[in-house]
Every structure is written in C-alpha cells, then in structure tokens.
Amino acid sequence: MQFQVKTGAASQQRTACAIVPVFSGGDLPSAASSLDKAGGGLISRAIRNKDIKGELGDMLLLTHTGELPCQRILLVGLGPKAKLDRRAWRKAVRTALATVARGKYGDAILHLTSEPVGDADAYRRARLAVEIWHDVSYRFTTMKSEPGDTAPALKELGIAAAGRDVRGARRGIEHGAAIAHAVALAKDLGNLPPNVCTPSYLVERARGIAKRASTLTVKALGLAEIRKLRMGAFLAVTQGSAEPPRFIVLQYRGGRTGAPPVVLVGKGITFDSGGISIKPAGAMDEMKYDMCGAATVLGVLQAVAELKLPINVTGVVPTCENLPSGTATRPSDIVKTMSGQTVEILNTDAEGRLILCDAITYALRFKPAALIDIATLTGACLVALGRVRSGLLGNSDKLADDLLAAGQAADDRAWRLPLDDDYAELIKSPFADVANVGGRDAGTITAASFLARFVGKTDWAHLDIAGTAWNQGSNKGGTGRPIPLLMEYLLHRK
Ligand code: BES
Ligand code: MN
Ligand code: ZN
C-alpha cells in the first residue's frame, strides 16, 4: 500500500475516488467547495436535495462527476462544524475508509486529512489516517483453505494536506505505517491458534524481525537455560505442558553504546487453560490471546527498528503454555523464584505474574532506564475498565504520567490505578514469602503489587491489557493495542 501527500486544489486532482468531508448545517470544507465550484454545484445540490445531511458518519457516493478529474466523490458527514473534534473526525475517517476498502478501484484521495481538527495537527491526522486504513483493511485469512477475495483493491491512498503541512504529513505517514505494520503483526499473533502460535513459533517470528535490521539481535533460551537461571516460578507454569518453554531477548541498539535501555517485558502465555485451577469451558478459546503482551513487545521492537529511533530498547518475552496434567503445578505448591523469594501458588490460573516475576528479575540485568511490562493479566481489569482503557500501575509518577499522555496523544488510552503498600497485605502467605493471589478484592492491583516485589527501585510501569488487546463480537480478534501508546512514548524519548 502506498500513501502519498497531495497538495493543491481538490478539483485539480486525478483519482478514482475523492473522499470529501461535508458538515451538517451547510458550511462546505475547502475540498468540498473546490469540487463544488469546478463541478457545477454538484455537492451543494446533493445537500439541498437532502441526499446527504452531513451528520457524523453519513455517506453518499456521487458517480456522475462530469468533467472533474475524479471518477467518484464519496461525501462523508463530519457533523456540525463547531463540534468537530478528534473523536468525530476518527469516526468519519473510519467509516469512509471501511467503505473504500470494499470498493473495486485502485486509488483514492482522502481529503479529511486537510481539515483542521482541534488537537490533531497535520502530522497526527496523517498518522491516524494511515493507522485507521490498516485497521479497517486488516484481514486474517491465513488459516482458511479458501481465503476468498476480501483483500482491498486499493493500492494508493492520497493524504491531502495544505502546502505548509507537507513535511508533517510525510512524517505522519512514515510513523503511521511503521506502527500499523507492528499492529498487524500483533493482531496476527493474537489471532493465530495456539497449536500454531507456540513458544517456538514466537521465537521464529522474533528471528524473522531481527533478520531485517542489523540493529536488532535476538537470543532465545530453552528449558535447560531457564533451569540454570533458577526461574522457579516460570518453570512451575510450564511444567504441565509438553510444549517446550522459551525465554526470548530482543535487543535494539539505536542509541549511544552503553546508554541504559527501555526494557519491555511481555507476557507470552500461548494458551491459558488455568492449569489445575482450570477455567470454565465457556470462552476458554479466547485464552489463545494470552500472549498479546509478547506480541506487543515484538511489534514495538520491529517498529522501533523500522523507524531507526535513536534509543536503546530491549524486549524480554517469557513464553509457555499453562495446561493441567500429571506433571502440572498443584495449588499449594511453593516455588523459589529467580530473585530468591518463595511463592505459594494458591491458584495456578494466576500464572502471568509467575512468568513475569522471573522475567522482571532477569530484566534488571540490563539496568533499565525504564521497565515496562505488558500483560493480559487480570479479568478484574476488564471489570474495572472494560475494553476502552488499559490498566496502568507502577512505582514512578513521571513514567506513569508520560505513558498516560502518550496514550492520550495516540488514541490508545490507559487509566492509572493506585498501588499503595497497603495492598501488599492482601497477598501475604503463612507458608511462603508471598502468595500468588489475594481474595476477590482489587484483583488488578494485587497482581501488580505481586510484581512490584520483584522490581525494587527501578522506574517501572505495568500495563494490564486483558480488556484492550482483544475485541469481541462481530469484530472478534486481536487489536494490536497498546502498540500505538508505547510507540508514542518511545518516539518522544531521547
Ligand atoms: N489470562 C488471564 C487473565 C484474563 C482474563 C485475560 C480474561 C483476558 C481476559 C489470567 O492468567 C488469569 O487467569 N487471571 C485470573 C487471576 C485470578 C486467578 C486471581 C483472573 O483474572 O481470573
Ligand atoms: Mn490465568
Ligand atoms: Zn493468563
């Protein structure tokens, strides 16, 4: 797919489809007015005839475009001009691009990107448009024997911009494309079934990413090395499964040699049955997406390398299955973590924190400038925040604020939950240093409180993406979140 900045009057541009915004209430945005004048009033006539009102999300396709150099005009309603904000703009762009993705033509020009929107400048509008295009045109067909012809015919999308905004729009396209490719990778990994997307498969994909950039190196530890590191908690999770575990380390070096890296740790449970504390059968199929933290880390490392960011970033991915069997961990087993702390495993379904605590201990070796873990960690996070915002917890106000702001800017929002020391009381164990679960109360916080014990003083944030990594319903599948949030954060780090 090609994206190209287009400047100049809409009426001069040759294209199979001009995607043109209109407001409700009469005002014509500049692209609409340019085409209207050159086209003998065809747009104002459509509005006068009430063929389109211009309400948010309204659409009308004009195919009789006379002498105009565009074969079609897709009018898209933005709602009232005074109410145009980023949310409304996004919705209009999404609706229009989803329609274009089903069209049979090869090129189009999106004029919504040249329309001023409150807090989204030309850079942001171009970047979002590219991300939205990839989102609506994403198809997951690799597991079908007959993929069909659902792939969009569109090969080139023009991004309209004012002359003074060309540089910003170009940058937006570049960033948007790298982020969108990473998001598509993470969606694929989330959607693949767990008999394909195994820990060794994630290693293969990590190697594939590293092959494309000399700045990326990959290391994948196996069972023997994981044992040697004494990762007793990680080993307790994998021991019920016949599928070998892996511990993946991806290093991107784009910054000064020796500059402390941002370290990203991603939960890579390729299937979470719950183990002996087995989950109900109901939606157990969805637990193939319990590796979306890992997918996020692979995606971010790929995008960071593609954009050649001037920083060091390290990705750490502990990955295995959580299954019941004769060799599986029993509720009440006590294990020794790599840090030396002992854990009483009261519930084998709280396995994410067990693989993460050893991964965090390992990650401290890199003396991180910031440590961020990403995990589909708790159902409680879905109860608290639904699928709208990711849960954010941590020990650093500065890091938390930076991540919240990044999520806001990238339209991939998070919400911070508290992490007072008092919550640690809930996971006390009479038999070991700590238990892996508390009671029903504050499930997302007690999970983070467990992780905090292994972090120490390093600046750390935890993103619980149990709700945001996956869509249900007609749009069922991986979302690629929180890649846009993390990329926004890394793009602004020096
Ligand atoms: N992977 C799940 C969390 C999850 C639930 C992710 C729903 C996405 C959707 C995690 O391993 C888990 O099972 N957590 C338990 C913790 C509990 C036993 C303390 C949970 O949330 O029920
Ligand atoms: Mn679980
Ligand atoms: Zn899990």
Side-chain angles (χ1 to χ4, degrees):
M1 183 67 187
Q2 286 294 320
F3 299 94
Q4 225 156 43
V5 179
K6 302 275 182 189
T7 55
S11 60
Q12 302 292 315
Q13 290 162 357
R14 186 159 301 283
T15 178
C17 183
I19 309 164
V20 177
V22 292
F23 291 118
S24 61
D27 288 309
L28 283 188
S30 64
S33 137
S34 154
L35 286 163
D36 195 51
K37 281 196 193 108
L42 79 176
I43 294 177
S44 41
R45 199 175 321 122
I47 294 172
R48 209 175 326 111
N49 291 345
K50 300 204 165 51
D51 290 329
I52 184 165
K53 274 173 80 182
E55 306 281 356
L56 182 58
D58 280 358
M59 274 191 298
L60 179 68
L61 185 68
L62 304 177
T63 50
H64 298 279
T65 53
E67 302 298 301
L68 289 173
C70 50
Q71 287 161 23
R72 305 167 186 78
I73 298 175
L74 179 63
L75 295 177
V76 188
L78 281 177
K81 185 170 185 177
K83 274 206 187 154
L84 178 61
D85 58 10
R86 217 209 262 214
R87 220 177 114 79
W89 182 87
R90 275 182 69 94
K91 182 170 180 211
V93 172
R94 170 171 287 277
T95 318
L97 291 183
T99 301
V100 172
R102 287 189 296 268
K104 295 285 169 255
Y105 36 89
D107 66 283
I109 297 176
L110 183 68
H111 287 284
L112 285 88
T113 44
S114 58
E115 196 55 36
V117 182
D119 64 341
D121 59 10
Y123 160 81
R124 184 67 58 185
R125 296 194 298 269
R127 174 170 148 188
L128 287 174
V130 172
E131 291 181 39
I132 293 169
W133 165 261
H134 282 283
D135 196 44
V136 298
S137 62
Y138 175 83
R139 307 281 184 272
F140 181 74
T141 54
T142 50
M143 302 307 294
K144 303 250 194 205
S145 46
E146 302 274 351
D149 63 345
T150 56
L154 203 76
K155 294 286 170 282
E156 192 189 309
L157 183 65
I159 300 290
R164 62 176 182 286
D165 288 334
V166 171
R167 278 187 55 191
R170 283 212 183 110
R171 234 172 97 80
I173 290 174
E174 190 199 354
H175 291 179
I179 293 167
H181 297 153
V183 164
L185 165 71
K187 286 182 182 179
D188 281 347
L189 293 176
N191 292 341
L192 280 168
N195 57 330
V196 174
C197 185
T198 59
S200 348
Y201 181 84
L202 289 178
V203 171
E204 267 174 53
R205 296 301 294 258
R207 293 218 166 101
I209 294 166
K211 219 178 230 152
R212 306 212 309 244
S214 61
T215 45
L216 269 177
T217 55
V218 105
K219 186 162 87 172
L221 310 183
L223 184 57
E225 291 149 298
I226 297 167
R227 283 202 176 119
K228 204 182 268 164
L229 288 164
R230 297 177 186 274
M231 295 183 163
F234 182 19
L235 288 164
V237 176
T238 185
Q239 75 186 40
S241 160
E243 193 66 44
R246 294 308 193 96
F247 192 91
I248 309 172
V249 181
L250 264 162
Q251 285 187 282
Y252 169 76
R253 293 184 184 82
R256 272 186 303 106
T257 317
V262 173
V263 180
L264 305 175
V265 178
K267 172 178 174 182
I269 294 290
T270 57
F271 188 73
D272 180 13
S273 71
I276 296 296
S277 314
I278 198 160
K279 289 181 181 294
M284 205 198 272
D285 64 291
E286 291 197 342
M287 281 302 113
K288 68 173 178 176
Y289 86 79
D290 214 15
M291 32 51 66
C292 282
T296 297
V297 172
L298 297 193
V300 168
L301 269 290
Q302 173 184 285
V304 161
E306 190 173 326
L307 292 174
K308 302 188 168 64
L309 297 191
I311 51 173
N312 296 329
V313 184
T314 301
V316 174
V317 172
T319 171
C320 69
E321 294 183 326
N322 185 23
L323 292 181
S325 76
T327 61
T329 292
R330 293 149 289 250
S332 75
D333 279 1
I334 295 179
V335 297
K336 190 172 207 147
T337 62
M338 185 181 173
S339 73
Q341 299 180 68
T342 58
V343 179
E344 184 183 17
I345 301 178
L346 289 174
N347 188 322
T348 62
D349 198 10
E351 85 297 340
R353 62 200 77 179
L354 295 174
I355 71 170
L356 289 173
C357 71
D358 281 337
I360 286 170
T361 302
Y362 184 94
L364 295 179
R365 287 187 169 184
F366 299 109
K367 305 216 174 347
L371 175 61
I372 306 171
D373 78 82
I374 306 106
T376 46
L377 206 60
T378 63
C381 193
L382 256 158
V383 174
L385 301 174
R387 296 179 188 276
V388 178
R389 290 193 188 232
S390 303
L392 169 66
L393 302 98
N395 61 7
S396 157
D397 290 342
K398 168 80 167 75
L399 179 57
D401 287 346
D402 287 351
L403 290 170
L404 285 175
Q408 194 70 29
D411 279 348
D412 181 8
R413 277 171 278 275
W415 190 257
R416 191 171 180 191
L417 297 175
L419 194 53
D420 308 73
D421 290 338
D422 310 61
Y423 288 104
E425 299 294 320
L426 300 176
I427 48 172
K428 277 192 165 160
S429 160
F431 304 117
D433 297 343
V434 65
N436 79 325
V437 292
R440 266 171 41 86
D441 294 357
T444 302
I445 303 177
T446 51
S449 168
F450 179 90
L451 297 178
R453 299 176 61 97
F454 298 85
V455 172
K457 298 246 175 301
T458 302
D459 283 348
W460 160 71
H462 159 63
L463 283 163
D464 193 328
I465 57 167
T468 50
W470 189 257
N471 277 326
Q472 283 182 327
S474 62
N475 204 13
K476 183 172 182 172
T479 61
R481 292 178 67 184
I483 289 175
L485 178 160
L486 289 169
M487 287 306 298
E488 185 73 28
Y489 170 72
L490 293 172
L491 278 164
H492 291 102
R493 249 195 106 89
K494 295 285 160 345

